[in-house]
Amino acid sequence: MLKVSQPVKKVLVPLISIIAGFLVGAIIMLIFSYSPVQAYASMIRGALGTTSSIGETLRQATPLILTALGFSVASSAGFFNIGLSGQALAGWVGSIWIALAFPNLPTYILLPLAIIVGALAGALTAAIPGFLRAYFGTSEVIVTIMLNYVVLYVSTYLLQSAMPASFRSSQDATKTISSHASLRMDWLSNLFGGSRVHGGLFIALIALVLVWVIMKKTTLGFEIRAVGMNPFASEYAGMSSKRTIIMSMVLSGTLAGLGGVVEGLGTYQNFFTQTASLSIGFDGMAVSLLGSGSSVGILLSALLFSVLKIGGLGMQTGAGVPFEIVSIVIASIIFFVAIDYVIGLLFKQRQNRETEQIAARTDSKATVAVTDEQKKGGSTK
Amino acid sequence: MNMVSMLALIVSSTLVFSTPLIFTAVGGSFSEHSGVVNVGLEGIMVMGAFSSVVFNLTFADTFGKATPWIALLVASVVGVAISALHAVATINFRADHIVSGTVINLLAPALSVFLVKAIYAKGQTDNIAQSFGYFTFPAISKIPVIGPILFKDTSIMAYIAIVVAIIAWWIQFKTKFGLRLRSVGENPQAADTLGINVYGYKYAGVLISGLLGGIGGAVFAQSISGNFSAGTIVGQGFISMAAMIFGKWNPIGAMGAALFFGFAQSLSIIGGQLPVISKIPSVYLQCAPYVLTIVVLVLFLGKAVGPKENGTNYIKSK
């Protein structure tokens, strides 16, 4: 164990969490007499072995980057946006609806229009919990969870009863959108061996940069972060915390909505009935937590989780290990990220022993230890 | 269909659909009163449903009619085990309650489907041989009108759930244990000063929620779905959480809300057989529990409905 500085620790904690997560997966595989080495090898092969599988991995990462960004923006303002999957679903339905309603508009009008409408649908869905939080103090966690289900049922209703019958190919799916609204790019697909990777990837990459600029270089970003750190101080400093709360949720919902848009206009080219909340919602949250909300971190962890998800399919066929082990690994990684306090202890203790001066700093952990000892001393008296 | 048989159909299906929600919602109230937010109820129900179905399939020949009841015990133990993960993470390891609960929700479906595939080599179990079925109370089912509606061919588990909710209310609001549990959720610092074992009570709260949540999942699997797959528990845990909030963290209130949500759920399923209701698009009934929960939360604006220190990590002697 090494003495480490704060920035190094920020990198080490996620790394250790990832390794620990993979170890948990390996142990479970061993218990059921699968070979972890073979499984992980076929996972890597499945995700990165051919150009087309690399394309699929990038395709998988696209919506995850967007929903993760959405989560990170809301959490900078101090909110837990668990409604990512509902917002993404709203974006998916909205963009497909527009694409099907105006199939003959030229690409340069239809594609941006469909994307914007999808993003707006996500933004509106997120604005509800933002508004309720700002004006009524209602817990955004509960409201977003509840809205996930409302959007889920409403999306099925819209597809089956509200859309014109001419949009549907069956009771459970819409027709394929016209090429004017598609995010598919032939050169990109061909570059990656005919995989489904699509132009949404560029939307995700642009969003990564844009969100970084907004959060770090604009007044809005500063206000969002200030409200997240201390809403009362921000209010005293003259910021409208109500406006900031709503804006952060709208921005978050826009990004989540885009996550749904790229699934609709890019990956699937239609909408079909969903039986459960979209997995990109909770996976995006996991990506953001592992990437600790930073742009680079989100990019890297979105790629890691995509390798897991795409490689997991290869693992099932290659090594016969059920695909679900992938979600177990992801959940374990997030569990270890969540208990970073414990992982942090691995370094801190060593640090304290080596140099007492460091321990003497205003270090909360150190003071806890000291007061604990005082307390013990007090009780034995 | 005459009036009595129509009411009997509505009442019995409402009871069947409410039962899992009542157990889980009442369990959730224990956890939240101790100050630990438990969004992992969904995952706990998944584990309960999974373990009860596996037990039922394995031991149906051995235990016969008693199988579903023993499976409830198994599910409650599994529920306690999975909730222990949430307890350790939030109480000792200072994890964020929402993140930890979400981990449970991500982990449980994956783990259970993985195990189903590892054990049965397919993604879905067979149908169980022994389920709870219908129960007719002796004697009181003979009462005219009320008897056939409430006590004939009905769900015995629903009545047990209602009794459990009443006992839970009594424990939380009329016993020393309950007072201390709530004091830990309201003000852990003060409770600690008075010599109450804060961590111990938090553990008790979370583990009881695991116990009842596991039973809730097992009841759902053994009286409604009849088998286990990835699609068995989809949202019931979250509805239970909604019911708990709707009932203002009071077990009896939670029970009432769960009955109401069960009624809404059953209407969206049996509604086709009933006049008037069959005209309402099912989407309204499906969304009703969620929308109503949001409305209730907004209406109680400003009033501290939930436990005061709910969701914060208590760090002893900070």
Side-chain angles (χ1 to χ4, degrees):
Chain A
M1 219 62 65
L2 290 164
K3 189 181 91 181
V4 292
S5 61
Q6 206 60 30
V8 178
K9 202 183 133 203
K10 253 185 121 175
V11 178
L12 271 181
V13 169
L15 275 183
I16 290 174
S17 304
I18 292 168
I19 295 167
F22 275 95
L23 275 178
V24 170
I27 291 168
I28 291 177
M29 282 191 266
L30 279 176
I31 293 173
F32 289 90
S33 50
Y34 299 109
S35 154
V37 178
Q38 198 191 345
Y40 287 140
S42 61
M43 170 187 283
I44 302 290
R45 234 177 297 126
L48 306 168
T50 62
T51 47
S52 109
S53 61
I54 293 175
E56 279 297 307
T57 303
L58 290 174
R59 197 265 309 155
Q60 177 73 46
T62 307
L64 292 186
I65 292 173
L66 289 163
T67 47
L69 282 172
F71 183 84
S72 78
V73 169
S75 88
S76 305
F79 300 112
F80 246 95
N81 185 0
I82 302 207
L84 295 165
S85 52
Q87 291 143 21
L89 190 55
W92 186 347
V93 175
S95 63
I96 291 290
W97 195 319
I98 293 296
L100 290 170
F102 309 104
N104 297 321
L105 284 178
T107 305
Y108 60 89
I109 297 177
L110 182 58
L111 186 56
L113 184 69
I115 292 172
I116 291 168
V117 168
L120 278 178
L124 268 179
T125 314
I128 299 170
F131 173 79
L132 294 178
R133 170 82 202 199
Y135 286 93
F136 299 98
T138 319
S139 157
E140 78 283 0
V141 173
I142 313 283
V143 176
T144 49
I145 289 176
M146 300 301 141
L147 280 180
N148 277 345
Y149 286 94
V150 173
V151 175
L152 183 63
Y153 292 121
V154 168
S155 74
T156 303
Y157 171 77
L158 289 178
L159 170 63
Q160 292 178 340
S161 310
M163 280 186 188
S166 60
F167 286 11
R168 286 192 292 270
S169 67
S170 73
Q171 198 56 21
D172 290 316
T174 69
K175 287 184 176 147
T176 306
I177 54 171
S178 78
S179 61
H180 296 271
S182 173
L183 278 168
R184 290 261 170 93
M185 294 174 169
D186 286 337
W187 64 269
L188 193 64
S189 296
N190 293 336
L191 187 66
F192 287 102
S195 67
R196 287 183 295 171
V197 61
H198 52 76
L201 183 60
F202 302 113
I203 298 181
L205 294 177
I206 294 168
L208 267 175
V209 178
L210 266 184
V211 168
W212 182 83
V213 171
I214 291 174
M215 294 307 289
K216 294 281 155 75
K217 304 286 171 196
T218 67
T219 317
L220 176 66
F222 177 76
E223 290 189 350
I224 288 178
R225 284 184 292 137
V227 167
M229 280 176 201
N230 192 334
F232 304 107
S234 320
E235 194 81 29
Y236 280 121
M239 299 172 196
S240 163
S241 66
K242 285 193 171 66
R243 196 186 70 101
T244 312
I245 289 169
I246 297 174
M247 278 310 293
S248 70
M249 283 301 282
V250 164
L251 195 54
S252 172
T254 306
L255 290 159
L258 283 173
V261 168
V262 298
E263 290 284 79
L265 302 181
T267 306
Y268 297 107
Q269 309 271 311
N270 71 349
F271 176 71
F272 46 94
T273 49
Q274 301 292 318
T275 49
S277 292
L278 293 185
S279 64
I280 55 168
F282 284 106
D283 288 340
M285 180 180 158
V287 165
S288 182
L289 289 170
L290 178 61
S292 59
S294 77
S295 292
V296 180
I298 285 176
L299 179 64
L300 292 178
S301 32
L303 289 172
L304 173 73
F305 284 180
S306 304
V307 167
L308 277 163
K309 293 232 150 196
I310 299 298
L313 298 169
M315 197 175 73
Q316 189 157 350
T317 46
V321 183
F323 174 74
E324 280 68 27
I325 197 77
V326 165
S327 304
I328 297 176
V329 171
I330 292 180
S332 311
I333 292 175
I334 299 310
F335 181 78
F336 290 114
V337 171
I339 58 166
D340 62 344
Y341 157 71
V342 178
I343 297 176
L345 282 183
L346 296 177
F347 312 115
K348 287 247 167 161
Q349 283 174 342
R350 176 77 186 204
Q351 210 172 24
N352 290 350
R353 237 180 289 143
E354 282 200 347
T355 41
E356 283 178 5
Q357 283 168 329
I358 296 175
R361 282 186 318 191
T362 52
D363 189 342
S364 68
K365 223 111 313 144
T367 37
V368 167
V370 171
T371 39
D372 258 339
E373 266 162 39
Q374 282 172 344
K375 201 165 184 193
K376 266 178 218 151
S379 61
T380 47
K381 265 174 204 167
Chain B
M1 219 188 295
N2 69 29
M3 201 62 190
V4 171
S5 64
M6 202 169 83
L7 277 175
L9 174 67
I10 295 174
V11 168
S12 66
S13 71
T14 297
L15 287 177
V16 167
F17 280 94
S18 308
T19 314
L21 307 180
I22 298 176
F23 277 114
T24 314
V26 168
S29 74
F30 276 97
S31 173
E32 306 244 336
H33 273 305
S34 77
V36 179
V37 173
N38 197 346
V39 290
L41 289 175
E42 175 89 3
I44 292 170
M45 281 185 88
V46 171
M47 291 312 290
F50 159 77
S51 54
S52 70
V53 167
V54 170
F55 180 86
N56 199 310
L57 286 171
T58 317
F59 292 104
D61 295 335
T62 325
F63 296 112
K65 286 251 178 299
T67 318
W69 300 93
I70 304 171
L72 278 189
L73 283 179
V74 174
S76 64
V77 171
V78 172
V80 167
I82 191 94
S83 69
L85 201 63
H86 185 55
V88 174
T90 53
I91 299 168
N92 297 109
F93 293 168
R94 306 183 190 178
D96 186 287
H97 297 198
I98 311 288
V99 174
S100 170
T102 306
V103 166
I104 305 281
N105 289 342
L106 289 174
L107 185 66
L111 187 63
S112 55
V113 176
F114 174 85
L115 293 174
V116 165
K117 283 183 179 170
I119 299 170
Y120 300 102
K122 54 185 177 182
Q124 184 176 358
T125 68
D126 294 327
N127 283 331
I128 53 173
Q130 296 287 347
S131 66
F132 281 118
Y134 292 102
F135 180 80
T136 301
F137 286 89
I140 48 173
S141 63
K142 299 283 193 301
I143 304 168
V145 188
I146 301 171
I149 294 174
L150 289 178
F151 302 118
K152 200 173 159 232
D153 289 338
T154 188
S155 155
I156 180 73
M157 283 315 294
Y159 288 92
I160 295 176
I162 291 169
V163 172
V164 166
I166 294 168
I167 295 174
W169 170 82
W170 181 76
I171 291 175
Q172 283 179 17
F173 292 95
K174 299 288 164 195
T175 66
K176 210 155 71 177
F177 172 84
L179 183 67
R180 290 180 175 172
L181 184 79
R182 286 182 294 126
S183 75
V184 164
E186 292 290 335
N187 194 334
Q189 212 87 46
D192 203 359
T193 319
L194 292 170
I196 292 171
N197 182 351
V198 174
Y199 287 0
Y201 277 90
K202 278 179 184 284
Y203 264 98
V206 178
L207 296 185
I208 293 172
S209 81
L211 181 119
L212 291 175
I215 291 178
V219 170
F220 186 88
Q222 296 184 103
S223 60
I224 298 172
S225 73
N227 65 7
F228 182 82
S229 69
T232 300
I233 304 287
V234 276
Q236 287 87 352
F238 287 122
I239 294 200
S240 306
M241 198 173 84
M244 179 197 67
I245 296 163
F246 198 78
K248 295 202 274 172
W249 285 265
N250 180 322
I252 293 184
M255 177 192 81
L259 281 169
F260 179 73
F261 291 168
F263 173 68
Q265 274 193 322
S266 68
L267 277 191
S268 64
I269 288 160
I270 61 162
Q273 303 174 44
L274 305 170
V276 186
I277 310 268
S278 58
K279 300 277 192 300
I280 304 174
S282 63
V283 64
Y284 291 109
L285 297 167
Q286 287 168 331
C287 292
Y290 306 107
V291 174
L292 281 171
T293 303
I294 297 175
V295 170
V296 164
L297 272 178
V298 173
L299 287 182
F300 289 115
L301 64 124
K303 293 176 198 158
V305 207
K308 197 158 162 254
E309 290 293 315
N310 205 5
T312 53
N313 291 327
Y314 177 60
I315 298 163
K316 203 170 153 74
S317 62
K318 187 183 181 181

